[in-house]
Amino acid sequence: MLVVTYADFFANPAQYKEEASVSGLKILPEKKQKKVSRRVQKKLDHLNAVIGLFPKDTDLDALLEERRMSK
């Protein structure tokens, strides 16, 4: 028996066509997203809101170290 994930099969079904005719073909179901609690979702929303505030070329570690030294 040939076991293939849902994503792999539908990404390239022609690849598995010959194998399916020779042997059994079993497609694993698509994984479902787990629900997250409101508390975790709120934290994720806050994190997504902050993404992009600092330019990518900024060295955040240096900024944090400078802030620690100034205190």
Side-chain angles (χ1 to χ4, degrees):
M1 180 188 303
L2 178 65
V3 179
V4 180
T5 63
Y6 187 84
D8 287 341
F9 179 78
F10 285 103
N12 193 4
Q15 176 184 354
Y16 300 105
K17 186 176 182 181
E18 185 179 330
E19 285 292 329
S21 64
V22 175
S23 63
L25 178 65
K26 180 177 181 180
I27 302 170
L28 297 177
E30 192 172 16
K31 289 186 177 181
K32 295 182 180 180
Q33 289 276 346
K34 292 183 179 180
K35 290 188 177 185
V36 294
S37 67
R38 288 183 196 173
R39 184 172 152 212
V40 171
Q41 185 61 49
K42 188 175 180 181
K43 288 180 180 182
L44 287 172
D45 292 341
H46 289 194
L47 181 63
N48 286 330
V50 185
I51 293 174
L53 288 179
F54 295 103
K56 290 187 184 266
D57 60 341
T58 305
D59 185 13
L60 297 178
D61 292 330
L63 288 174
L64 287 173
E65 188 62 34
E66 182 181 326
R67 183 174 176 166
R68 284 186 196 126
M69 296 302 254
S70 68
K71 285 188 176 181

